Amino acid sequence: MVGKLEVSFNSPQCGWMSIGFADGVREFHTTTAHAPHRSALPELLKILTSLLDKHSAPNDYLLQWNRDPEEFDIRFLRAGEKVTLEIYQYPTEERAPGTRELVFSHTGTIREIGDAFDETFQQLYADRDTDEFEFNWRQPFPLADYERFRSAVRA
């Protein structure tokens, strides 16, 4: 039986970050790189903030990320109060549609999805100085986007 979504973003090391998704039935873990999709973390926070805003117009969001040479699409599809999270993996940066593979999918409420990401981002935020986030991720923690996301989660 599908359970609660769990999301884990581990502290970055040398420009790489381990991420994971699990829901009691399915599980997907990988590493991601800080480049070339340098705006992946701030963009993810913007997507999540928009999903939590019931007045936002978009219902389909796509975030591109990579592991080098593999590429990932993290897609969020909103339908009413439900959101489907889909993660597709491509074998190369060419992103040919026929080569992508659905490696994880979970449908839950907007609140459940938001809370799952909130938990892991709170941990990243709390550990950012100890883990030398900026040095290890090779870019600053997206503080302004994180604060807007936290406000949306608490609303």
Side-chain angles (χ1 to χ4, degrees), residues 59-137:
N59 289 314
D60 190 351
Y61 301 86
L62 185 68
L63 175 73
Q64 294 183 338
W65 217 342
N66 75 306
R67 183 171 69 183
D68 192 21
E70 295 96 350
E71 294 272 332
F72 299 99
D73 282 345
I74 301 176
R75 186 176 184 197
F76 296 88
L77 299 157
R78 180 173 52 195
E81 288 297 312
K82 296 285 188 180
V83 173
T84 299
L85 165 66
E86 299 174 332
I87 302 174
Y88 292 93
Q89 183 173 347
Y90 299 85
T92 69
E93 72 273 355
E94 293 173 14
R95 294 179 174 271
T99 65
R100 78 179 188 173
E101 174 188 359
L102 180 64
V103 294
F104 184 81
S105 177
H106 176 84
T107 300
T109 65
I110 293 170
R111 177 63 47 200
E112 176 200 352
I113 302 290
D115 288 348
F117 279 93
D118 182 40
E119 195 172 310
T120 198
F121 272 107
Q122 281 187 59
Q123 191 65 49
L124 275 180
Y125 176 78
D127 295 342
R128 72 191 185 289
D129 292 332
T130 304
D131 294 339
E132 298 179 322
F133 184 94
E134 192 165 322
F135 174 78
N136 281 308
W137 189 237

Side-chain angles (χ1 to χ4, degrees), residues 10-72:
N10 295 325
S11 299
Q13 297 294 318
C14 303
W16 298 88
M17 187 183 313
S18 173
I19 65 172
F21 302 85
D23 65 8
V25 173
R26 295 168 296 260
E27 193 170 320
F28 175 68
H29 297 274
T30 190
T31 54
T32 56
H34 74 286
H37 302 288
R38 294 188 61 81
S39 64
L41 277 181
E43 186 61 30
L44 176 58
L45 287 163
K46 288 174 186 167
I47 289 170
L48 293 166
T49 301
S50 184
L51 281 170
L52 289 163
D53 178 1
K54 60 184 173 194
H55 301 296
S56 67
N59 289 314
D60 190 351
Y61 301 86
L62 185 68
L63 175 73
Q64 294 183 338
W65 217 342
N66 75 306
R67 183 171 69 183
D68 192 21
E70 295 96 350
E71 294 272 332
F72 299 99

